[in-house]
Amino acid sequence: MRVKLEVGRTYSTQSRVEEWMTAEKAGNKGVDALSTPTLVQLIEDAARACVAPALDEDQVTLATHVDLEHRRPVPVGFILRTEVEVVLVDGPRISFAVQVFDEQESVAEGTHERYVMTRAKFRSKLEEKLA
């Protein structure tokens, strides 16, 4: 890592829920609200952005675990705020606390874990599997 990653580092991002982000578009007919897979993607994006400044140029982070309670629906057009906080750094393993809010309330919370690896090592693992 380029710099030491500290517990307590935070990152927050905002996005507007678009129609393509809904459970309806993911195949759950009649559920015109933010889909859980899209919510997980927003969390992964925020976690990657949180640690990106600390990584060396040849490093990536890979998702290894998500534990999420998606408690409230979010309609198309609402603004989401996704917040992540580093709560554990254990060698290459980084754990985050996650909270997501819409314009009215908390809609989801949980934890997310990522693993730091060089791109070369990741490619090697892929090639190994393909061989």
Side-chain angles (χ1 to χ4, degrees):
M1 281 200 209
R2 186 178 327 174
V3 297
K4 185 175 175 31
L5 187 60
E6 299 286 341
V7 168
R9 183 185 190 105
T10 62
Y11 187 84
S12 177
T13 186
Q14 287 191 350
S15 50
R16 181 179 304 277
V17 177
E18 307 279 339
E19 190 173 322
W20 65 267
M21 301 164 88
T22 64
E24 168 81 27
K25 293 297 183 187
N28 197 353
K29 300 298 180 202
V31 183
D32 197 23
L34 178 70
S35 73
T36 302
T38 300
L39 180 60
V40 170
Q41 182 65 57
L42 293 170
I43 290 165
E44 284 202 40
D45 292 347
R48 274 195 317 271
C50 181
V51 300
L55 298 178
D56 291 332
E57 285 186 30
D58 67 333
Q59 291 179 316
V60 294
T61 62
L62 306 166
T64 56
H65 186 85
V66 177
D67 184 5
L68 183 68
E69 184 180 356
H70 188 173
R71 297 187 309 256
R72 301 279 188 265
V74 183
V76 171
F78 270 51
I79 301 292
L80 283 178
R81 185 176 77 250
T82 304
E83 299 178 354
V84 297
E85 178 182 0
V86 174
V87 294
L88 174 73
V89 179
D90 182 17
R93 188 170 58 108
I94 306 167
S95 296
F96 301 85
V98 175
Q99 290 189 304
V100 182
F101 303 88
D102 68 14
E103 300 167 23
Q104 297 178 356
E105 61 190 338
S106 173
V107 297
E109 69 178 285
T111 60
H112 177 46
E113 185 174 286
R114 301 190 71 77
Y115 192 88
V116 178
M117 183 180 290
T118 65
R119 284 180 179 84
K121 185 172 181 180
F122 179 71
R123 280 192 297 273
S124 172
K125 287 183 175 286
L126 281 178
E127 290 167 9
E128 205 175 284
K129 192 161 206 163
L130 290 169

